[in-house]
Amino acid sequence: MNMQDFDTRCIVSGQLESRPNHGTVNPIYPATTYEYIDQNANVYPRYFNTPNQAWLNEKIATLEGAAAALTFGSGMAAISTSLMAFLAPGDHVIVQNSIYGGTTNFINKIFHKYGIEFTVTDGRDLEDFARTLQENTRMVYIETPSNPLLAITDIRAIAGFARSHQLISMIDNTFASPVNQTPYTMGIDVVLHSATKYLGGHSDICAGFAVGSQEHIDQIWSYAKCFGGSLNAQTCHLLERSMKTLGVRVRKQNQNAMAIASFLENHPKVERVFYPGLVRHPGHEVAVRQMSGFGGMVSFELRSMEDPFAFQQRLRVITPTLSLGGVESTICSPFTTSHDYLSKAERLNQGIRDELLRLSVGIESEKDLVTDIAEALQ
Ligand SMILES: *Cc1c(COP(=O)(O)O)cnc(C)c1O
């Protein structure tokens, strides 16, 4: 098959060929019930197969270069359903350290309760993963770039390790988005997304995706119908519209983030910058191999005498808010937001200091963003 370029796939994938009433965009089908005689499927929102869900499933699968996908009502619905679809009591999971807080919380709460064992790796090299392998290991779970320190895990190395030990491999690809990295094409079995972030892109949608082979997605689907975390037609349509601009948005965010990271790297009031696009970043070489852009997230530490909250309040273009991935630039202190569920000692153990700031770079002008930061640092 002749694979179209990414930006073309953003527009045409999942698009109806014969358009009702000749409109240019897919319609919204709010119906929860469909005629069943002579149809070969029972269509119902919680079966994840209404027209708006099906078009979106096709769009994200095409963008990730995979065979199949499911659209969920949140990123955590996609993640929790996918984990439970493959795990049983007595199984063991290798979990990369420093992953999304909600996923860590799910693992701590639910795995313990249902007798699923897990080991959190103490590094991100292949040896750190291999060392934790057990006889009952069934799955390996990674997230790269990681939140909030933008650490990089070698996707191909982990996929190869999983294959050679018959483990299911899963990745949370939220931070990179399929614009910058398509892990399924590098051998990962299941790719997960919080579409609330870059795929939605406008800070007004909560949704999630699981992407993979038809066989793996069928397995997840059989659990998804039980757990019921589906997405309504109206929000599916909004998300479909957002994803048409995914390529242009994220490439602009990559470009702005690179400019800001370079500016911060040379600023005397900044202690450290975490951005995989910087040559000094320890994961830079791996990032160059597996990413086509370095993403819109930049983390940095102010010198300890600078007050991180006063700095955030002096910003005029960038807004201090919790989430990320929108067209507007936002910033937060991970220690009081995404990582406040950890004790200070646990945070420090992961390298998350109180001086750390996590910036989600939007699509405003590069000059205005750099000026905003420069003035707030003064
Ligand atoms: C936000 C986020 C999630 C959870 O997604 P929700 O849509 O909030 O459920 C999972 N992983 C990462 C990396 C995230 O940033």
Side-chain angles (χ1 to χ4, degrees), residues 164-190:
S164 65
H165 294 93
Q166 284 96 46
L167 314 177
I168 301 273
S169 53
M170 287 196 187
I171 186 171
D172 184 331
N173 201 30
T174 300
F175 267 39
S177 93
V179 180
N180 290 325
Q181 126 192 325
T182 52
Y184 182 82
T185 66
M186 300 178 216
I188 294 287
D189 293 318
V190 178

PDB file of all heavy atoms in Angstrom, residues 164-190:
ATOM      1  N   SER A 164      11.278 -11.133  22.446  1.00  0.00           N
ATOM      2  CA  SER A 164      12.120 -12.316  22.680  1.00  0.00           C
ATOM      3  C   SER A 164      11.696 -13.074  23.937  1.00  0.00           C
ATOM      4  O   SER A 164      12.095 -14.223  24.122  1.00  0.00           O
ATOM      5  CB  SER A 164      13.600 -11.931  22.722  1.00  0.00           C
ATOM      6  OG  SER A 164      13.835 -11.098  23.815  1.00  0.00           O
ATOM      7  N   HIS A 165      10.889 -12.440  24.813  1.00  0.00           N
ATOM      8  CA  HIS A 165      10.401 -13.160  26.000  1.00  0.00           C
ATOM      9  C   HIS A 165       8.888 -13.360  25.969  1.00  0.00           C
ATOM     10  O   HIS A 165       8.281 -13.622  27.012  1.00  0.00           O
ATOM     11  CB  HIS A 165      10.817 -12.418  27.275  1.00  0.00           C
ATOM     12  CG  HIS A 165      12.302 -12.417  27.488  1.00  0.00           C
ATOM     13  ND1 HIS A 165      13.128 -11.407  27.040  1.00  0.00           N
ATOM     14  CD2 HIS A 165      13.115 -13.328  28.065  1.00  0.00           C
ATOM     15  CE1 HIS A 165      14.379 -11.689  27.346  1.00  0.00           C
ATOM     16  NE2 HIS A 165      14.400 -12.850  27.962  1.00  0.00           N
ATOM     17  N   GLN A 166       8.277 -13.181  24.792  1.00  0.00           N
ATOM     18  CA  GLN A 166       6.815 -13.328  24.638  1.00  0.00           C
ATOM     19  C   GLN A 166       6.015 -12.488  25.625  1.00  0.00           C
ATOM     20  O   GLN A 166       5.054 -12.945  26.230  1.00  0.00           O
ATOM     21  CB  GLN A 166       6.384 -14.802  24.765  1.00  0.00           C
ATOM     22  CG  GLN A 166       6.678 -15.644  23.549  1.00  0.00           C
ATOM     23  CD  GLN A 166       7.985 -16.400  23.696  1.00  0.00           C
ATOM     24  OE1 GLN A 166       8.226 -16.999  24.737  1.00  0.00           O
ATOM     25  NE2 GLN A 166       8.827 -16.346  22.691  1.00  0.00           N
ATOM     26  N   LEU A 167       6.456 -11.247  25.820  1.00  0.00           N
ATOM     27  CA  LEU A 167       5.711 -10.334  26.693  1.00  0.00           C
ATOM     28  C   LEU A 167       4.891  -9.392  25.821  1.00  0.00           C
ATOM     29  O   LEU A 167       5.289  -9.065  24.707  1.00  0.00           O
ATOM     30  CB  LEU A 167       6.670  -9.475  27.540  1.00  0.00           C
ATOM     31  CG  LEU A 167       7.836 -10.176  28.227  1.00  0.00           C
ATOM     32  CD1 LEU A 167       8.696  -9.134  28.956  1.00  0.00           C
ATOM     33  CD2 LEU A 167       7.325 -11.221  29.206  1.00  0.00           C
ATOM     34  N   ILE A 168       3.754  -8.942  26.347  1.00  0.00           N
ATOM     35  CA  ILE A 168       2.995  -7.880  25.690  1.00  0.00           C
ATOM     36  C   ILE A 168       3.700  -6.567  26.031  1.00  0.00           C
ATOM     37  O   ILE A 168       4.017  -6.317  27.200  1.00  0.00           O
ATOM     38  CB  ILE A 168       1.551  -7.802  26.252  1.00  0.00           C
ATOM     39  CG1 ILE A 168       0.821  -9.120  26.054  1.00  0.00           C
ATOM     40  CG2 ILE A 168       0.793  -6.615  25.671  1.00  0.00           C
ATOM     41  CD1 ILE A 168       0.131  -9.261  24.742  1.00  0.00           C
ATOM     42  N   SER A 169       3.961  -5.730  25.025  1.00  0.00           N
ATOM     43  CA  SER A 169       4.582  -4.430  25.319  1.00  0.00           C
ATOM     44  C   SER A 169       3.540  -3.328  25.129  1.00  0.00           C
ATOM     45  O   SER A 169       2.777  -3.345  24.168  1.00  0.00           O
ATOM     46  CB  SER A 169       5.778  -4.198  24.398  1.00  0.00           C
ATOM     47  OG  SER A 169       5.417  -4.370  23.046  1.00  0.00           O
ATOM     48  N   MET A 170       3.530  -2.395  26.081  1.00  0.00           N
ATOM     49  CA  MET A 170       2.601  -1.258  25.995  1.00  0.00           C
ATOM     50  C   MET A 170       3.367   0.035  26.222  1.00  0.00           C
ATOM     51  O   MET A 170       4.295   0.083  27.021  1.00  0.00           O
ATOM     52  CB  MET A 170       1.519  -1.363  27.076  1.00  0.00           C
ATOM     53  CG  MET A 170       0.510  -2.436  26.802  1.00  0.00           C
ATOM     54  SD  MET A 170      -0.954  -2.194  27.824  1.00  0.00           S
ATOM     55  CE  MET A 170      -1.811  -3.715  27.426  1.00  0.00           C
ATOM     56  N   ILE A 171       2.924   1.072  25.518  1.00  0.00           N
ATOM     57  CA  ILE A 171       3.543   2.389  25.697  1.00  0.00           C
ATOM     58  C   ILE A 171       2.459   3.442  25.822  1.00  0.00           C
ATOM     59  O   ILE A 171       1.429   3.368  25.149  1.00  0.00           O
ATOM     60  CB  ILE A 171       4.478   2.730  24.509  1.00  0.00           C
ATOM     61  CG1 ILE A 171       5.249   4.036  24.771  1.00  0.00           C
ATOM     62  CG2 ILE A 171       3.706   2.868  23.195  1.00  0.00           C
ATOM     63  CD1 ILE A 171       6.344   4.326  23.751  1.00  0.00           C
ATOM     64  N   ASP A 172       2.686   4.411  26.692  1.00  0.00           N
ATOM     65  CA  ASP A 172       1.853   5.607  26.744  1.00  0.00           C
ATOM     66  C   ASP A 172       2.542   6.640  25.845  1.00  0.00           C
ATOM     67  O   ASP A 172       3.620   7.133  26.164  1.00  0.00           O
ATOM     68  CB  ASP A 172       1.767   6.093  28.195  1.00  0.00           C
ATOM     69  CG  ASP A 172       0.845   7.289  28.360  1.00  0.00           C
ATOM     70  OD1 ASP A 172       0.705   8.067  27.401  1.00  0.00           O
ATOM     71  OD2 ASP A 172       0.288   7.453  29.461  1.00  0.00           O
ATOM     72  N   ASN A 173       1.920   6.929  24.694  1.00  0.00           N
ATOM     73  CA  ASN A 173       2.547   7.797  23.679  1.00  0.00           C
ATOM     74  C   ASN A 173       1.991   9.225  23.722  1.00  0.00           C
ATOM     75  O   ASN A 173       2.123   9.974  22.758  1.00  0.00           O
ATOM     76  CB  ASN A 173       2.310   7.186  22.280  1.00  0.00           C
ATOM     77  CG  ASN A 173       3.289   7.672  21.239  1.00  0.00           C
ATOM     78  OD1 ASN A 173       4.443   8.004  21.562  1.00  0.00           O
ATOM     79  ND2 ASN A 173       2.861   7.736  19.983  1.00  0.00           N
ATOM     80  N   THR A 174       1.370   9.586  24.843  1.00  0.00           N
ATOM     81  CA  THR A 174       0.693  10.883  24.957  1.00  0.00           C
ATOM     82  C   THR A 174       1.633  12.063  24.707  1.00  0.00           C
ATOM     83  O   THR A 174       1.295  12.984  23.963  1.00  0.00           O
ATOM     84  CB  THR A 174       0.074  11.021  26.362  1.00  0.00           C
ATOM     85  OG1 THR A 174      -0.868   9.963  26.555  1.00  0.00           O
ATOM     86  CG2 THR A 174      -0.621  12.357  26.545  1.00  0.00           C
ATOM     87  N   PHE A 175       2.821  12.048  25.341  1.00  0.00           N
ATOM     88  CA  PHE A 175       3.698  13.222  25.257  1.00  0.00           C
ATOM     89  C   PHE A 175       4.231  13.449  23.844  1.00  0.00           C
ATOM     90  O   PHE A 175       4.392  14.577  23.423  1.00  0.00           O
ATOM     91  CB  PHE A 175       4.866  13.089  26.257  1.00  0.00           C
ATOM     92  CG  PHE A 175       4.587  13.740  27.582  1.00  0.00           C
ATOM     93  CD1 PHE A 175       3.322  13.656  28.158  1.00  0.00           C
ATOM     94  CD2 PHE A 175       5.580  14.445  28.259  1.00  0.00           C
ATOM     95  CE1 PHE A 175       3.045  14.264  29.384  1.00  0.00           C
ATOM     96  CE2 PHE A 175       5.315  15.063  29.484  1.00  0.00           C
ATOM     97  CZ  PHE A 175       4.057  14.964  30.041  1.00  0.00           C
ATOM     98  N   ALA A 176       4.539  12.380  23.125  1.00  0.00           N
ATOM     99  CA  ALA A 176       5.136  12.556  21.793  1.00  0.00           C
ATOM    100  C   ALA A 176       4.070  12.841  20.741  1.00  0.00           C
ATOM    101  O   ALA A 176       4.275  13.642  19.837  1.00  0.00           O
ATOM    102  CB  ALA A 176       5.925  11.316  21.411  1.00  0.00           C
ATOM    103  N   SER A 177       2.932  12.159  20.850  1.00  0.00           N
ATOM    104  CA  SER A 177       1.880  12.145  19.826  1.00  0.00           C
ATOM    105  C   SER A 177       2.413  11.428  18.581  1.00  0.00           C
ATOM    106  O   SER A 177       3.637  11.376  18.373  1.00  0.00           O
ATOM    107  CB  SER A 177       1.377  13.547  19.461  1.00  0.00           C
ATOM    108  OG  SER A 177       2.090  14.074  18.356  1.00  0.00           O
ATOM    109  N   PRO A 178       1.518  10.910  17.741  1.00  0.00           N
ATOM    110  CA  PRO A 178       2.004  10.190  16.541  1.00  0.00           C
ATOM    111  C   PRO A 178       2.719  11.093  15.535  1.00  0.00           C
ATOM    112  O   PRO A 178       3.329  10.581  14.597  1.00  0.00           O
ATOM    113  CB  PRO A 178       0.724   9.587  15.933  1.00  0.00           C
ATOM    114  CG  PRO A 178      -0.413  10.278  16.575  1.00  0.00           C
ATOM    115  CD  PRO A 178       0.059  10.794  17.899  1.00  0.00           C
ATOM    116  N   VAL A 179       2.673  12.409  15.741  1.00  0.00           N
ATOM    117  CA  VAL A 179       3.441  13.292  14.853  1.00  0.00           C
ATOM    118  C   VAL A 179       4.931  13.022  15.044  1.00  0.00           C
ATOM    119  O   VAL A 179       5.693  12.976  14.074  1.00  0.00           O
ATOM    120  CB  VAL A 179       3.153  14.782  15.158  1.00  0.00           C
ATOM    121  CG1 VAL A 179       3.941  15.694  14.231  1.00  0.00           C
ATOM    122  CG2 VAL A 179       1.667  15.072  15.079  1.00  0.00           C
ATOM    123  N   ASN A 180       5.345  12.845  16.284  1.00  0.00           N
ATOM    124  CA  ASN A 180       6.768  12.742  16.590  1.00  0.00           C
ATOM    125  C   ASN A 180       7.285  11.315  16.725  1.00  0.00           C
ATOM    126  O   ASN A 180       8.485  11.089  16.626  1.00  0.00           O
ATOM    127  CB  ASN A 180       7.083  13.504  17.879  1.00  0.00           C
ATOM    128  CG  ASN A 180       6.952  15.001  17.688  1.00  0.00           C
ATOM    129  OD1 ASN A 180       7.256  15.528  16.617  1.00  0.00           O
ATOM    130  ND2 ASN A 180       6.482  15.690  18.709  1.00  0.00           N
ATOM    131  N   GLN A 181       6.380  10.361  16.971  1.00  0.00           N
ATOM    132  CA  GLN A 181       6.860   8.990  17.162  1.00  0.00           C
ATOM    133  C   GLN A 181       5.704   8.006  17.039  1.00  0.00           C
ATOM    134  O   GLN A 181       4.625   8.239  17.577  1.00  0.00           O
ATOM    135  CB  GLN A 181       7.604   8.941  18.496  1.00  0.00           C
ATOM    136  CG  GLN A 181       7.265   7.983  19.548  1.00  0.00           C
ATOM    137  CD  GLN A 181       7.958   8.315  20.892  1.00  0.00           C
ATOM    138  OE1 GLN A 181       9.087   8.788  20.946  1.00  0.00           O
ATOM    139  NE2 GLN A 181       7.282   8.055  21.980  1.00  0.00           N
ATOM    140  N   THR A 182       5.923   6.921  16.295  1.00  0.00           N
ATOM    141  CA  THR A 182       4.884   5.908  16.104  1.00  0.00           C
ATOM    142  C   THR A 182       5.418   4.553  16.590  1.00  0.00           C
ATOM    143  O   THR A 182       5.957   3.757  15.806  1.00  0.00           O
ATOM    144  CB  THR A 182       4.452   5.815  14.623  1.00  0.00           C
ATOM    145  OG1 THR A 182       5.618   5.648  13.814  1.00  0.00           O
ATOM    146  CG2 THR A 182       3.716   7.065  14.178  1.00  0.00           C
ATOM    147  N   PRO A 183       5.257   4.274  17.891  1.00  0.00           N
ATOM    148  CA  PRO A 183       5.882   3.089  18.502  1.00  0.00           C
ATOM    149  C   PRO A 183       5.393   1.755  17.934  1.00  0.00           C
ATOM    150  O   PRO A 183       6.136   0.773  17.968  1.00  0.00           O
ATOM    151  CB  PRO A 183       5.490   3.204  19.977  1.00  0.00           C
ATOM    152  CG  PRO A 183       5.124   4.639  20.176  1.00  0.00           C
ATOM    153  CD  PRO A 183       4.557   5.104  18.883  1.00  0.00           C
ATOM    154  N   TYR A 184       4.166   1.720  17.413  1.00  0.00           N
ATOM    155  CA  TYR A 184       3.679   0.462  16.840  1.00  0.00           C
ATOM    156  C   TYR A 184       4.573   0.050  15.666  1.00  0.00           C
ATOM    157  O   TYR A 184       4.883  -1.128  15.497  1.00  0.00           O
ATOM    158  CB  TYR A 184       2.221   0.616  16.374  1.00  0.00           C
ATOM    159  CG  TYR A 184       1.636  -0.652  15.806  1.00  0.00           C
ATOM    160  CD1 TYR A 184       1.114  -1.641  16.635  1.00  0.00           C
ATOM    161  CD2 TYR A 184       1.618  -0.875  14.423  1.00  0.00           C
ATOM    162  CE1 TYR A 184       0.588  -2.816  16.117  1.00  0.00           C
ATOM    163  CE2 TYR A 184       1.093  -2.053  13.899  1.00  0.00           C
ATOM    164  CZ  TYR A 184       0.584  -3.017  14.754  1.00  0.00           C
ATOM    165  OH  TYR A 184       0.072  -4.184  14.228  1.00  0.00           O
ATOM    166  N   THR A 185       5.004   1.032  14.893  1.00  0.00           N
ATOM    167  CA  THR A 185       5.860   0.730  13.736  1.00  0.00           C
ATOM    168  C   THR A 185       7.267   0.320  14.182  1.00  0.00           C
ATOM    169  O   THR A 185       8.062  -0.133  13.377  1.00  0.00           O
ATOM    170  CB  THR A 185       5.971   1.937  12.778  1.00  0.00           C
ATOM    171  OG1 THR A 185       6.661   3.006  13.454  1.00  0.00           O
ATOM    172  CG2 THR A 185       4.608   2.420  12.324  1.00  0.00           C
ATOM    173  N   MET A 186       7.580   0.502  15.487  1.00  0.00           N
ATOM    174  CA  MET A 186       8.888   0.080  16.018  1.00  0.00           C
ATOM    175  C   MET A 186       8.756  -1.226  16.785  1.00  0.00           C
ATOM    176  O   MET A 186       9.687  -1.636  17.473  1.00  0.00           O
ATOM    177  CB  MET A 186       9.453   1.165  16.935  1.00  0.00           C
ATOM    178  CG  MET A 186       9.665   2.503  16.248  1.00  0.00           C
ATOM    179  SD  MET A 186      10.278   3.740  17.435  1.00  0.00           S
ATOM    180  CE  MET A 186       9.464   5.205  16.838  1.00  0.00           C
ATOM    181  N   GLY A 187       7.575  -1.849  16.727  1.00  0.00           N
ATOM    182  CA  GLY A 187       7.431  -3.168  17.327  1.00  0.00           C
ATOM    183  C   GLY A 187       6.678  -3.241  18.644  1.00  0.00           C
ATOM    184  O   GLY A 187       6.553  -4.315  19.232  1.00  0.00           O
ATOM    185  N   ILE A 188       6.186  -2.103  19.150  1.00  0.00           N
ATOM    186  CA  ILE A 188       5.384  -2.128  20.389  1.00  0.00           C
ATOM    187  C   ILE A 188       3.990  -2.671  20.072  1.00  0.00           C
ATOM    188  O   ILE A 188       3.416  -2.361  19.029  1.00  0.00           O
ATOM    189  CB  ILE A 188       5.295  -0.709  20.998  1.00  0.00           C
ATOM    190  CG1 ILE A 188       6.674  -0.229  21.472  1.00  0.00           C
ATOM    191  CG2 ILE A 188       4.249  -0.640  22.115  1.00  0.00           C
ATOM    192  CD1 ILE A 188       7.219  -0.883  22.722  1.00  0.00           C
ATOM    193  N   ASP A 189       3.431  -3.481  20.989  1.00  0.00           N
ATOM    194  CA  ASP A 189       2.137  -4.119  20.718  1.00  0.00           C
ATOM    195  C   ASP A 189       0.956  -3.149  20.854  1.00  0.00           C
ATOM    196  O   ASP A 189       0.108  -3.087  19.974  1.00  0.00           O
ATOM    197  CB  ASP A 189       1.904  -5.288  21.687  1.00  0.00           C
ATOM    198  CG  ASP A 189       2.881  -6.421  21.433  1.00  0.00           C
ATOM    199  OD1 ASP A 189       3.116  -6.737  20.248  1.00  0.00           O
ATOM    200  OD2 ASP A 189       3.418  -6.986  22.419  1.00  0.00           O
ATOM    201  N   VAL A 190       0.888  -2.446  21.982  1.00  0.00           N
ATOM    202  CA  VAL A 190      -0.282  -1.593  22.228  1.00  0.00           C
ATOM    203  C   VAL A 190       0.179  -0.167  22.558  1.00  0.00           C
ATOM    204  O   VAL A 190       0.999   0.035  23.455  1.00  0.00           O
ATOM    205  CB  VAL A 190      -1.150  -2.143  23.385  1.00  0.00           C
ATOM    206  CG1 VAL A 190      -2.333  -1.213  23.667  1.00  0.00           C
ATOM    207  CG2 VAL A 190      -1.648  -3.560  23.051  1.00  0.00           C
TER     208      VAL A 190
END
